[in-house]
Amino acid sequence: MQLNQHPELLDKLAASYALGTLRGGARRRFETLAREQAPVRAAALIWQARLGSVAELQAQAAPAPAVWTRIDNLVRADQEQQAMQEARVPAVAGPVAWLRSLALWRSATTVGAVVAVFAVVLGVNQRDQLGSQIASLRTQLQAAPQIEYVAVLADGKADPSMLVTFDAKNQTLLLQRVGGYQEASDKSLQLWALPPSGGPRSLGVLGADKLLRLTAGEGDVREVPTLAISLEPKGGVPSAGGPTGPVLFKGALIQKML
């Protein structure tokens, strides 16, 4: 199935995959398609990048000390009541064992009820926190860049190493390292556009950061079928001469379907 021909479905599946709600056979099929189709890989990586910091928004919620104090008091009271019952009744008859069991289960039931109430209260608090976080995330997504082009640059083994997106609103190429490659201190990575005609055209030299930004206009990427990254001397090489070092990563530049 060519998911890139169904952009709304692809976006929903990629979001579900990143959230972890896509499970079982559906998740395995999506992963298979992602290995085979660059647009699917790109959609998954975009959603993973969007949601990667959501966990950091989750504030830790510790129960109030009074909750644990109340649970402790109830447990102690039940234990004292059970001890008093055992002191009154001789521990020889069969019914006594049943009575002890009843007291134990009553104690467990009481504690369980308190814990259940506590869980409900904590759940309400977490729901409120989650609601505010979702609202914050929605605001962030609304202010997200206007991505028009996407590329997943992979090495010779087809392992993704760099996610490239073009933000038309801010005239920016955003590059995110998704692999473990790190160039030596005396080398630089350089991004190239490979147009259908003419030689390679440099789009910029990359720094060592995991997230990189390069200034670019839509004319720099329009109708460019492929992007590539080469390993060059520190600071890169002039665009006119093209790459001088090995091409490490390469991938199709795809216009995002709205």
Side-chain angles (χ1 to χ4, degrees):
M1 179 179 182
Q2 294 294 326
L3 277 178
N4 60 314
Q5 297 178 3
H6 306 277
E8 292 185 2
L9 175 60
L10 173 57
D11 192 62
K12 290 179 180 179
L13 289 174
S16 297
Y17 180 81
L19 286 167
T21 56
L22 190 67
R23 299 175 181 174
R27 188 175 186 87
R28 290 190 294 271
R29 286 192 295 273
F30 184 85
E31 290 173 342
T32 299
L33 290 173
R35 287 192 295 269
E36 297 172 350
Q37 301 177 26
V40 180
R41 288 198 302 274
L45 287 169
I46 288 172
W47 269 103
Q48 287 172 341
R50 284 177 174 174
L51 301 176
S53 61
V54 171
E56 298 177 2
L57 300 175
Q58 176 67 49
Q60 294 185 357
V67 174
W68 294 116
T69 300
R70 185 177 181 187
I71 292 175
D72 185 62
N73 290 339
L74 286 170
V75 171
R76 289 177 182 273
D78 278 329
Q79 288 176 342
E80 291 174 358
Q81 185 177 7
Q82 181 180 352
M84 291 175 60
Q85 290 174 344
E86 291 178 353
R88 293 195 206 101
V89 182
V92 292
V96 173
W98 176 82
L99 182 61
R100 288 177 179 170
S101 177
L102 176 61
L104 176 62
W105 282 108
R106 183 175 61 193
S107 174
T109 302
T110 303
V111 174
V114 174
V115 172
V117 171
F118 162 69
V120 170
V121 172
L122 183 59
V124 170
N125 292 336
Q126 289 181 338
R127 183 189 62 192
D128 293 341
Q129 291 176 1
L130 182 59
S132 64
Q133 289 168 6
I134 290 174
S136 175
L137 177 60
R138 185 179 294 114
T139 301
Q140 293 177 23
L141 292 179
Q142 289 174 347
Q146 181 184 339
I147 296 175
E148 287 195 1
Y149 293 87
V150 179
V152 179
L153 308 188
D155 59 19
K157 297 180 180 179
D159 292 329
S161 296
M162 191 80 69
L163 171 65
V164 184
T165 57
F166 174 68
D167 176 7
K169 182 168 59 179
N170 297 307
Q171 299 288 284
T172 301
L173 278 168
L174 182 65
L175 297 91
Q176 181 177 354
R177 296 176 186 253
V178 294
Y181 181 84
Q182 188 65 52
E183 63 275 18
S185 59
D186 62 340
K187 298 289 185 180
S188 292
L189 296 181
Q190 191 161 353
L191 179 66
W192 301 87
L194 305 182
S197 60
R201 185 174 67 253
S202 176
L203 294 176
V205 179
L206 311 185
D209 296 335
K210 190 174 181 65
L211 194 63
L212 309 158
R213 287 180 172 83
L214 298 174
T215 301
E218 187 169 357
D220 294 322
V221 295
R222 186 189 299 117
E223 298 182 359
V224 172
T226 308
L227 297 180
I229 291 179
S230 64
L231 183 65
E232 303 293 347
K234 190 69 175 180
V237 297
S239 178
T244 63
V247 174
L248 301 180
F249 315 121
K250 192 175 181 180
L253 181 63
I254 302 164
Q255 186 169 12
K256 189 174 182 294
M257 301 173 65
L258 301 179

